Amino acid sequence: MKLIILGPPGSGKGTISELLCTKFRLFHISPGEILREEVKKETTIGREIKKYIDTGHLVPSQLVVEFVKLEIQRRKNYILDGFPRTVEQAEAIQDWNIDHVLYLDLDQEAVVRRLSGRRVCTKGIHNYHLTFLPPQNLGRCDIDGSPLLQREDDQPAVIKERFKVFTVETKPVITYYKQKGLLRTIDASGTPEEVYAKILKIIS
Ligand code: AMP
């Protein structure tokens, strides 16, 4: 199965992707994570990428498509988390035979509420929320035990910019997949369990 999961920042793409990967043994591809890894390496390209991420802007599409292609190789079952985010990216993968495009729909107010409380493990893989999804041990990841951090781009001004970028750049991708009959829109305002249950109904 090949899935795409889209939605504004904070709509729960990462959390839902993890659940779907476990259930359906999918390979999880998150350009956000790949790009943050590159930033951590402090390469020349990593320093360039950091400027885009820290200000809430999209990294140039050509580069992101290259990273995703390298990750995907010849895999048959995967979920693309937060990709494609522009029509240019969507067109670059038009022959990938995607089964469903899951769109987690959430308004801006809820986005700000969620992201300001979000914490991620030091490895940048596992997500928590101070109110909605607290870790069992305060300040530590339940899965790998690493300290929890707040992402640089989860600051209020950057959150607003990211939502704006989503509206301008990624909403047309939603329309693109709607026209292709692949779009499944899910109200993402509930708990992760509620949203996940709705998705299972759709794809099974
Ligand atoms: P995410 O972890 O998915 O919220 O992504 C964090 C940041 O990585 C975004 O705000 C962008 O700067 C960058 N990014 C992630 N996915 C993409 C993409 N498909 N195209 C361009 N930039 C991306």
Side-chain angles (χ1 to χ4, degrees), residues 9-10 13 30-33 35-36 49 52-54 56-61 64 81-86 89 118 151 153 162:
K13 299 187 294 293
S30 157
E33 271 172 28
L35 294 167
R36 281 189 291 277
I49 290 171
Y52 292 99
I53 295 184
D54 286 356
H57 295 115
L58 293 182
V59 174
S61 284
V64 178
D81 166 5
F83 179 88
R85 262 162 142 123
T86 63
Q89 292 174 14
R118 175 161 77 175
R151 275 167 47 171
D153 58 346
R162 289 167 67 200

Side-chain angles (χ1 to χ4, degrees), residues 13-192:
K13 299 187 294 293
T15 308
I16 297 294
S17 295
E18 273 178 37
L19 296 170
L20 290 170
C21 284
T22 309
K23 169 119 181 125
F24 296 104
R25 294 169 183 258
L26 305 175
F27 186 69
H28 183 196
I29 300 168
S30 157
E33 271 172 28
I34 299 170
L35 294 167
R36 281 189 291 277
E37 275 306 308
E38 201 59 38
V39 171
K40 270 193 213 154
K41 289 186 208 155
E42 295 188 356
T43 54
T44 312
I45 197 146
R47 277 191 284 274
E48 273 305 302
I49 290 171
K50 187 175 186 328
K51 290 184 203 158
Y52 292 99
I53 295 184
D54 286 356
T55 51
H57 295 115
L58 293 182
V59 174
S61 284
Q62 256 183 322
L63 185 66
V64 178
V65 170
E66 280 311 308
F67 275 125
V68 172
K69 280 187 176 165
L70 273 178
E71 278 291 303
I72 224 162
Q73 304 287 356
R74 282 174 293 278
R75 289 179 195 276
K76 290 196 175 69
N77 298 295
Y78 53 76
I79 182 160
L80 298 171
D81 166 5
F83 179 88
R85 262 162 142 123
T86 63
V87 172
E88 187 187 350
Q89 292 174 14
E91 282 172 346
I93 63 158
Q94 56 184 311
D95 56 349
W96 284 17
N97 295 322
I98 300 296
D99 295 297
H100 301 281
V101 177
L102 307 169
Y103 167 39
L104 303 185
D105 191 14
L106 195 67
D107 63 41
Q108 185 172 358
E109 210 182 299
V111 163
V112 174
R113 213 171 34 240
R114 282 192 186 179
L115 288 188
S116 47
R118 175 161 77 175
R119 297 294 180 272
V120 293
C121 71
T122 309
K123 292 179 182 169
I125 299 171
H126 309 112
N127 290 300
Y128 298 87
H129 193 280
L130 297 180
T131 316
F132 309 126
L133 194 65
Q136 278 161 14
N137 298 312
L138 195 71
R140 295 245 159 219
C141 177
D142 293 341
I143 299 164
D144 61 38
S146 69
L148 299 183
L149 310 167
Q150 182 169 34
R151 275 167 47 171
E152 194 69 37
D153 58 346
D154 280 347
Q155 307 296 328
V158 186
I159 294 173
K160 270 198 181 158
E161 187 59 29
R162 289 167 67 200
F163 194 87
K164 198 169 107 194
V165 168
F166 171 76
T167 308
V168 175
E169 306 266 9
T170 310
K171 274 284 177 78
V173 179
I174 309 289
T175 311
Y176 175 93
Y177 284 121
K178 193 173 185 180
Q179 283 163 355
K180 291 194 178 295
L182 290 174
L183 194 75
R184 322 279 177 247
T185 302
I186 300 110
D187 172 7
S189 62
T191 63

